[in-house]
Amino acid sequence: MPEKVKVLFIFEILGRPPEHIKKSLYDLINNLGEQKGIEIIRKKIHEPKKLEENKKTKVITGDGFFTTFAEVELIADNIDLVFTIVLNMLPAHIEIIEPSEYNFNNFELSSMLTDLAVKIHKYDEVAKVLMIERKNLLDKLSEKEKIIKELENEVKEK
């Protein structure tokens, strides 16, 4: 698979303050461009915009949060590098511009899918740990609330 790949990525970021998210996105793209086998041919970082309440879902995104995105067109030495970028940087959008077709043998495709599965398993593991920690924290909070109510009742009785 030695064929070079021309790809357009869109990276998004959310946070605050706006200067920080813009700089973070700029740093992310510069670090990407410094990687071996990757040549950035075009990049555009858009100005941060303040998030507002979503009128359809009525979800308030939080006070003072901003979002921005960057369009990055690059040439990667091979499709493996593209997969690495996708798995490690989680772009919001990926468009392979060139070549228009690929032929993979079973080994190459199996290798790429295995890498994908490993990454998904890592995220699943992190999510499960976070859910357990969340439950433990909620249980502890519930215990503390019971103790506080008991103490309040004792104070009222005296």
Side-chain angles (χ1 to χ4, degrees):
M1 267 188 304
E3 193 168 7
K4 292 191 181 250
V5 186
K6 186 176 185 182
V7 186
L8 171 67
F9 288 106
I10 295 179
F11 296 100
E12 291 180 312
I13 192 167
L14 167 75
R16 61 181 171 203
E19 306 79 29
H20 175 72
I21 63 170
K22 189 172 181 181
K23 183 185 179 318
S24 296
L25 195 52
Y26 180 82
D27 291 345
L28 177 104
I29 293 165
N30 282 340
N31 289 338
L32 175 62
E34 292 172 2
Q35 298 201 19
K36 185 179 176 189
I38 296 172
E39 176 192 353
I40 294 180
I41 54 178
R42 183 179 67 82
K43 63 183 174 182
K44 181 175 182 185
I45 299 174
H46 296 266
E47 287 300 315
K49 295 195 181 200
K50 189 170 184 176
L51 287 179
E52 297 175 12
E53 181 179 335
N54 185 321
K55 303 292 185 211
K56 291 181 182 177
T57 62
K58 303 228 189 279
V59 172
I60 298 174
T61 54
D63 189 30
F65 280 95
F66 292 80
T67 185
T68 187
F69 69 99
E71 302 169 68
V72 180
E73 192 171 324
L74 59 82
I75 296 175
D77 281 355
N78 55 57
I79 194 71
D80 287 336
L81 279 172
V82 174
F83 267 83
T84 300
I85 294 167
V86 170
L87 292 173
N88 293 321
M89 301 180 79
L90 303 173
H93 176 77
I94 306 116
E95 180 182 343
I96 296 178
I97 300 167
E98 294 174 0
S100 59
E101 292 183 15
Y102 279 98
N103 290 317
F104 297 111
N105 65 39
N106 288 348
F107 177 77
E108 293 167 330
L109 186 56
S110 295
S111 176
M112 287 185 275
L113 290 172
T114 298
D115 290 345
L116 176 62
V118 166
K119 191 71 166 189
I120 290 171
H121 282 291
K122 286 181 183 176
Y123 285 126
D124 185 54
E125 180 183 337
V126 168
K128 286 177 181 172
V129 167
L130 289 173
M131 291 299 290
I132 290 168
E133 288 178 356
R134 179 183 179 272
K135 183 187 179 312
N136 289 340
L137 287 171
L138 288 173
D139 289 346
K140 286 180 183 178
L141 182 62
S142 179
E143 288 175 26
K144 302 286 185 207
E145 288 175 340
K146 286 180 187 176
I147 292 170
I148 290 171
K149 285 183 182 179
E150 288 173 4
L151 290 173
E152 287 173 347
N153 289 336
E154 286 179 17
V155 169
K156 286 180 185 176
E157 290 174 2
K158 290 183 179 181

